[in-house]
Amino acid sequence: MPICLLPPFASRAASPACHVRHSAWRIDTRNDVAPVPLEVRGRIAIARSPRYVWRRFVVPVAGGDRSDRSVVADKLQSEGPADWEEFGAHVSGEWDGYMAEFNFMGEPLQLPSNVVPDAFHDWGREVHDWQTQCSTLAHPEKGHFAYKDIKLVPTVGCEEDAVTVYGVEKCDVQRDASMLAYHGSGSYTITWRGNRVENESSHGPGKEVIREGDDLEVEQCLVHEQSRTRIRVCQHLRMRRHIRVFREAWEGPFRNGESLGGCAVGTAGFATEKPLHVSSLSGFWHAMLYSSNSLQNQLVKQQMCKTGGLSFSGEEIFERTLADSFLFLCLPKDMWTLLTRTDSGGTLVETGWLVNPDQCIVSRCEFEESGILKGVCLRHEKRLSAEEATRRGGSLRTSDWQDIEECIDEE
């Protein structure tokens, strides 16, 4: 049984002639043309969708020979495991921010009317953001990772005594997850088992969230170390799903949520802000790749959580050309996400964040149709000029680029 259905915005039904070819993290989409293997033309690989083209060529890992390097990240040699202590130092603490929920069209959902103060209704103001606090702790023992999401009831004003907890969700990786991929920066990817169900709390006021069933939810967390801010995107691997997006700033050391931030938080609500424009992603990029061999070929519905560090596995220079947002679901604050089915019937989940005009952080996770995890990859990307891309990538024969253009233009 497939673990996901195509969401409407990435449906093949919309483009019946489209053939999707997926290999590792490369999608090669052809219209009535025989698929072009990624190994074609030596160093250069083509990845095309109906609306955008990616051109890539490999930059060798230091000390390596270009001819011996593959574009595919999971075939590159790793430099060593990511450090759990380093990950714990960057991820643990109190993270204050806001959370918004979006539908599959990227439209923000309003908060339940019963939690919105009457004053907002009187002013005709809609509320789409939950104020949140996430108490996170990576225990010294590797693999022991848990956090507590606290949602606060919207208030009029910033009085400290006006802060009211709406709900608490306790997330324990060892108890509820089947996979944790972590990076020293604090970024991570988790696959959670079960649907989130809200119940009345038996330990105090508000709601508590538990997980039931056998559905799968992917959480991708991307951390910008310099600003100590992060985003978290959570989405189920199913059709017509809602997407929960958190935007948070590190407030201080771990206190298990004993003190709440109230209005004194380092971020602001974002749900109704202008979404990312895909033209911001166009151009040449240099990507540092981080992956984990130990997490490949793992059954994501297993009861025991598999943990693996994301370590350096290679780098590449590529050109990203996006005609429009056919496959990408663009979100506010320069974020995007992608959920689509591969040619083999599996699922590709991607979350990206343009942290500044010249820097991206991207997380990709691929599952086979049977529920096997095919791979996880974290990418740190920096923009390059065309001249710098050519210089750093080495000389490319003009005939190579001509062959690419002929292949792309062929219909």
Side-chain angles (χ1 to χ4, degrees), residues 95-99 130-134 150-151 246 248:
W95 294 85
D96 291 345
Y98 286 86
M99 185 274 283
W130 289 100
Q131 185 178 338
T132 62
Q133 183 164 323
C134 183
I150 303 171
K151 287 198 297 188
F246 296 78
E248 303 163 319

Side-chain angles (χ1 to χ4, degrees), residues 68-82:
D68 294 335
R69 298 296 177 180
S70 167
V71 176
V72 181
D74 62 1
K75 292 185 179 180
L76 296 172
Q77 297 298 313
S78 171
E79 288 193 338

Side-chain angles (χ1 to χ4, degrees), residues 144-300:
H144 288 258
F145 177 59
Y147 65 79
K148 180 167 60 177
D149 272 331
I150 303 171
K151 287 198 297 188
L152 305 179
V153 175
T155 59
V156 179
C158 291
E159 296 82 2
E160 184 175 353
D161 58 0
V163 175
T164 303
V165 174
Y166 172 80
V168 177
E169 179 177 4
K170 297 180 180 180
C171 302
D172 189 312
V173 165
Q174 287 209 320
R175 182 190 64 198
D176 298 322
S178 56
M179 184 274 291
L180 165 65
Y182 64 91
H183 183 260
S185 64
S187 297
Y188 62 81
T189 297
I190 298 174
T191 55
W192 298 101
R193 300 185 303 267
N195 295 308
R196 302 172 61 258
V197 179
E198 285 189 354
N199 294 323
E200 294 296 331
S201 176
S202 58
H203 307 289
K207 307 278 187 178
E208 64 179 2
V209 179
I210 60 173
R211 290 186 176 270
E212 296 178 349
D214 58 357
D215 200 1
L216 289 175
E217 183 181 41
V218 176
E219 176 183 352
Q220 293 168 301
C221 174
L222 304 176
V223 175
H224 183 228
E225 294 183 77
Q226 286 72 27
S227 62
R228 302 210 76 172
T229 58
R230 71 180 189 181
I231 66 169
R232 291 187 290 138
V233 177
C234 308
Q235 52 190 316
H236 283 274
L237 304 186
R238 64 182 180 187
M239 191 173 180
R240 293 187 180 274
R241 85 283 189 218
H242 289 169
I243 304 169
R244 293 184 300 129
V245 180
F246 296 78
R247 186 169 177 268
E248 303 163 319
W250 192 82
E251 186 274 329
F254 176 76
R255 299 188 300 272
N256 199 27
E258 294 178 355
S259 60
L260 301 176
C263 295
V265 297
T267 61
F270 61 91
T272 56
E273 292 193 16
K274 186 177 179 180
L276 168 75
H277 197 285
V278 290
S279 63
S280 304
L281 301 175
S282 299
F284 287 94
W285 296 85
H286 173 226
M288 305 290 288
L289 311 177
Y290 302 86
S291 58
S292 175
N293 293 329
S294 65
L295 293 177
Q296 295 176 3
N297 302 319
Q298 298 295 322
L299 183 63
V300 292

Side-chain angles (χ1 to χ4, degrees), residues 41-111:
R41 298 170 187 84
R43 299 188 299 269
I44 304 174
I46 300 174
R48 182 176 184 236
S49 81
R51 304 292 181 87
Y52 66 90
V53 177
W54 290 358
R55 303 191 194 106
R56 293 181 168 85
F57 54 92
V58 178
V59 176
V61 178
D65 178 5
R66 178 190 302 275
S67 62
D68 294 335
R69 298 296 177 180
S70 167
V71 176
V72 181
D74 62 1
K75 292 185 179 180
L76 296 172
Q77 297 298 313
S78 171
E79 288 193 338
D83 184 70
W84 178 261
E85 291 185 3
E86 182 183 8
F87 167 70
H90 285 93
V91 77
S92 298
E94 301 293 322
W95 294 85
D96 291 345
Y98 286 86
M99 185 274 283
E101 195 167 1
F102 299 83
N103 63 20
F104 66 91
M105 296 297 292
E107 300 165 338
L109 306 182
Q110 294 187 46
L111 269 58

Side-chain angles (χ1 to χ4, degrees), residues 295-324:
L295 293 177
Q296 295 176 3
N297 302 319
Q298 298 295 322
L299 183 63
V300 292
K301 290 188 177 181
Q302 63 187 0
Q303 295 301 310
M304 182 177 296
C305 181
K306 180 70 173 181
T307 302
L310 298 172
S311 52
F312 178 70
S313 56
E315 53 188 295
E316 70 179 6
I317 290 176
F318 66 99
E319 181 183 8
R320 182 189 282 125
T321 304
L322 301 169
D324 58 25

